[in-house]
Amino acid sequence: MERINGIKKLTDNRYLNLYELDAAFRDGSRAPYYVASRRKSAEALKAATHDNCPDGVILYGVYGQEKDKLVLVRQFRYPIGNYVYEFPAGLVEPGEDMVAAGIREMYEETGLHLTPVHTARPFFTTIGMTDESCGTVFGYCSGNPTNANQEGSEDIQVVLADREECRRILREENVAIMCAYMLMHFIASEGDPLAFLSML
């Protein structure tokens, strides 16, 4: 049984669009299923191509001589009308690889220089509503934080958080779920927070 019998593009925006899928369910019934995507056409949706190329990149940056801080951003996000703690992140431009995108986005959002040590293949973000997937670049950061390179539409504060501050953030603040899990991992780790990468 075909699970998707057709795809219709409903909007035509620059960064994100809504698509209607003609979905066939396990019980034989059919109904529209709505998906947000960064893809530009119905033919390019991952439901059509089954290709998991990264739309964006998430940056796990360790900061400080003692490697005892994580680079976070506190960013205003319109869907919740409030600030949320996240890792620096951004879109992968056409023709750009994840590592180059990661270095660029870290500098644009935080003013810091990222020295990558590991990448993780793309994983899906909020799969119930979007086909977006993001790779992760892990590395060490240096330099002085600044928001001088941010776009005018961005409201981002750079945060260099040690383990105690990460505990406070998890208790008291809005946090993106991908960031929350990695903060828990950071809090529980000892020594170099990137040491676990040698086990992958």
Side-chain angles (χ1 to χ4, degrees), residues 12 87 104 117 132 149 163-164 177:
D12 191 25
F87 287 115
R104 175 182 55 76
V117 298
E132 180 185 63
N149 305 307
R163 286 173 173 85
E164 193 55 41
I177 193 166

Side-chain angles (χ1 to χ4, degrees), residues 105-117:
E105 286 289 348
M106 181 66 83
Y107 184 73
E108 288 176 2
E109 291 195 354
T110 71
L112 299 175
H113 299 280
L114 175 67
T115 302
V117 298

Side-chain angles (χ1 to χ4, degrees), residues 34-188:
Y34 297 96
V35 175
S37 180
R38 298 189 184 280
R39 305 283 115 189
K40 304 295 185 193
S41 69
E43 297 77 25
L45 281 183
K46 291 172 185 167
T49 66
H50 305 288
D51 178 26
N52 185 15
C53 56
D55 300 289
V57 62
I58 299 167
L59 309 168
Y60 187 91
V62 174
Y63 186 85
Q65 192 166 5
E66 302 299 318
K67 300 176 183 170
D68 59 347
K69 295 180 178 66
L70 289 184
V71 179
L72 305 175
V73 293
R74 181 178 180 264
Q75 183 165 193
F76 186 86
R77 291 295 196 178
Y78 287 93
I80 63 169
N82 207 338
Y83 289 88
V84 65
Y85 282 79
E86 307 172 71
F87 287 115
L91 298 179
V92 177
E93 301 291 342
E96 187 178 40
D97 68 37
M98 284 194 328
V99 173
I103 293 169
R104 175 182 55 76
E105 286 289 348
M106 181 66 83
Y107 184 73
E108 288 176 2
E109 291 195 354
T110 71
L112 299 175
H113 299 280
L114 175 67
T115 302
V117 298
H118 185 80
T119 59
R121 69 181 181 87
F123 293 105
F124 294 101
T125 55
T126 311
I127 198 60
M129 62 182 292
T130 180
D131 67 351
E132 180 185 63
S133 65
C134 292
T136 306
V137 178
F138 298 86
Y140 301 105
C141 290
S142 61
N144 297 311
T146 178
N147 61 3
N149 305 307
Q150 295 171 11
E151 296 177 14
S153 61
E154 295 177 314
D155 183 354
I156 300 173
Q157 301 159 8
V158 184
V159 178
L160 303 176
D162 62 14
R163 286 173 173 85
E164 193 55 41
E165 177 62 2
C166 288
R167 286 186 185 93
R168 187 200 68 77
I169 289 168
L170 286 172
R171 284 192 312 266
E172 301 175 10
E173 305 287 352
N174 294 322
V175 185
I177 193 166
M178 292 175 286
C179 181
Y181 288 139
M182 290 304 291
L183 291 184
M184 293 175 203
H185 178 271
F186 172 65
I187 291 166

